[in-house]
Amino acid sequence: QVQLVESGGGLVQAGGSLRLSCAASGRTFSRYRMGWFRQAPGKEREFVAAISWSGGRTYYADSVKGRFTISRDNTKNTVYLQMNSLKPEDTAVYYCAVDTVGGRYDYWGQGTQVTVSS
């Protein structure tokens, strides 16, 4: 059974930082690309960041580039999202996901709420 569990969300003031974690189980996740997405109230889910299986390649949405950093520790089956200089528009439920089939994310976590106050 594949399981992704996010943690680290919370309430933070604008300009602050949070670090999200996503613990994976049920597969050898070191083989797979992993990503972070977010969904704000009334909006569609959007891509935030992704990381290759080795961690050697990372990708970011323009809206978070330079502020967020995705990383992974394959020994712990965990992917992280370090979020700095947070803005109220970063408020959303953040989800991690894994691509085990090549080309699309097929397993998702339950999400963790991030709220940035102005």
Side-chain angles (χ1 to χ4, degrees), residues 24-89:
S25 62
R27 291 277 183 94
T28 305
F29 283 93
S30 59
R31 300 179 180 178
Y32 306 120
R33 176 179 62 150
M34 297 189 74
W36 285 96
F37 294 76
R38 66 187 182 187
Q39 186 167 20
K43 295 187 177 181
E44 293 188 353
R45 186 170 58 196
E46 64 175 1
F47 168 77
V48 175
I51 188 165
S52 63
W53 67 271
S54 67
R57 287 176 293 175
T58 56
Y59 310 88
Y60 297 94
D62 287 343
S63 58
V64 307
K65 205 171 292 183
R67 300 187 298 122
F68 291 11
T69 302
I70 188 171
S71 62
R72 67 191 296 164
D73 184 341
N74 285 339
T75 66
K76 297 181 179 179
N77 268 356
T78 300
V79 64
Y80 305 97
L81 186 68
Q82 177 67 44
M83 305 186 295
N84 299 328
S85 302
L86 282 161
K87 305 175 181 179
E89 51 264 43

